[in-house]
Amino acid sequence: LRSPTATSASAAFADANAPRQPFVIGVSGGTASGKTTVCDMIIQQLHDHRVVLVNQDSFYRGLTPEESKRVHEYNFDHPDAFDTEQLLDCIQKLKSGQSYQVPIYDFKNHRRCSDSFRQVNASDVIILEGILVFHDQRVRNLMNMKIFVDTDADVRLARRIRRDTVERGRDVNSVLEQYAKFVKPAFDDFVLPSKKYADVIIPRGGDNHVAIDLIVQHIRTKLGQHDLCKIYPNVTVIQSTFQI
Ligand code: CTP
């Protein structure tokens, strides 16, 4: 017969050896708010950990031939523009330690590159970035930390004009038309209301080094707690909340 102490010790040992669940961070914010810059800065500072970035943009649905003909009437800022089921499948698989073939999206032609994928492997930290990553509750529930990048609308519009004309093959008039017709209304209806789910709101995006340093410290603490549990399996780590 094993003593109760021995039983609880071996159970604790089994827990300590359980595979580490990746820490999932959601990064949301309006178009051209600096989400990618914030993610890159977090990744840079966590260089000693395995970190992967998944963009919600990769899960844009392909357009039907009819929609393609009338692309100027298509709302890319509505939640229905994304294949959320596939995004959910991706994050669930990555969270359970499996790799995933993430689609590659072509903004110039508004479609997925049908024959190429990006292989994303298991990691310590998964960052999911996109304008509507807080919209679906099932996706939100997979996140350990939610960050909203809060940048003034005029700064975002100026960046968007530059980016879409330089990188996405658009002309200024079409960018302004799309912004007034779809981007701004969808920001007001879907993106802004999802800000309430954020744990941390970063004003000025990538320019806010203090906020990013604090976030990285918090992530390091969370990753370190797992290591602490491995070394001292009977130690209870008290969870804390975090807000800037
Ligand atoms: N979009 C588009 N044409 C497509 C698909 C998407 O114009 N075929 C636009 C949508 O209107 C949406 C935007 O792409 O507003 C989403 O990308 P955005 O968040 O602006 O890009 P990021 O590089 O992630 O932004 P950030 O600067 O915050 O990193």
Side-chain angles (χ1 to χ4, degrees):
L1 275 177
R2 280 188 295 176
S3 72
T5 324
T7 309
S8 67
S10 60
F13 184 73
D15 276 349
N17 284 308
R20 174 198 292 240
Q21 261 235 334
F23 190 80
V24 181
I25 308 169
V27 178
S28 184
T31 181
S33 54
K35 300 181 290 298
T36 311
T37 310
V38 167
C39 295
D40 287 346
M41 290 169 80
I42 295 173
I43 292 168
Q44 227 171 20
Q45 290 202 32
L46 288 174
H47 53 83
D48 49 341
H49 287 277
R50 295 178 306 163
V51 186
V52 288
L53 177 63
V54 176
N55 304 94
Q56 187 182 28
D57 295 346
S58 305
F59 295 89
Y60 265 118
R61 295 178 195 281
L63 303 189
T64 62
E66 199 46 47
E67 287 167 338
S68 292
K69 274 187 228 151
R70 305 153 74 92
V71 73
H72 298 298
E73 289 168 25
Y74 191 86
N75 188 351
F76 288 102
D77 292 75
H78 192 279
D80 292 347
F82 298 94
D83 185 343
T84 301
E85 298 304 317
Q86 195 187 3
L87 173 67
L88 201 57
D89 182 47
C90 168
I91 303 301
Q92 278 164 342
K93 292 230 164 73
L94 291 175
K95 205 166 171 173
S96 68
Q98 299 173 58
S99 58
Y100 199 87
Q101 301 279 335
V102 174
I104 295 175
Y105 189 73
D106 172 2
F107 283 94
K108 284 191 180 157
N109 298 304
H110 314 284
R111 61 177 161 79
R112 290 182 180 187
C113 306
S114 52
D115 49 354
S116 44
F117 294 88
R118 180 171 69 97
Q119 160 116 359
V120 176
N121 292 320
S123 54
D124 303 323
V125 179
I126 300 162
I127 307 182
L128 172 61
E129 174 266 329
I131 51 171
L132 288 167
V133 291
F134 298 162
H135 180 75
D136 190 294
Q137 189 188 356
R138 295 166 304 164
V139 179
R140 277 201 314 273
N141 286 347
L142 294 172
M143 297 171 183
N144 301 97
M145 182 187 204
K146 299 185 231 26
I147 300 170
F148 190 93
V149 182
D150 203 6
T151 304
D152 289 346
D154 53 353
V155 175
R156 292 192 292 103
L157 176 58
R159 281 190 195 151
R160 170 118 181 186
I161 294 169
R162 194 177 306 124
R163 184 196 63 197
D164 283 7
T165 51
V166 174
E167 293 169 24
R168 294 187 181 176
R170 316 280 167 89
D171 64 71
V172 177
N173 274 340
S174 79
V175 177
L176 293 176
E177 220 170 85
Q178 184 190 9
Y179 189 85
K181 194 168 174 187
F182 296 120
V183 182
K184 184 175 163 37
F187 178 81
D188 294 337
D189 290 348
F190 303 111
V191 184
L192 202 52
S194 75
K195 184 174 158 180
K196 64 174 175 280
Y197 300 115
D199 302 304
V200 184
I201 296 165
I202 310 185
R204 307 181 309 282
D207 296 337
N208 195 332
H209 292 259
V210 174
I212 289 158
D213 286 352
L214 286 168
I215 287 165
V216 169
Q217 266 181 39
H218 178 75
I219 300 166
R220 282 190 177 284
T221 308
K222 289 292 177 190
L223 294 173
Q225 278 177 2
H226 187 94
D227 295 337
L228 196 68
C229 292
K230 276 188 163 176
I231 302 164
Y232 306 107
N234 293 322
V235 169
T236 306
V237 180
I238 298 162
Q239 300 287 316
S240 57
T241 50
F242 177 72
Q243 191 97 35
I244 291 181

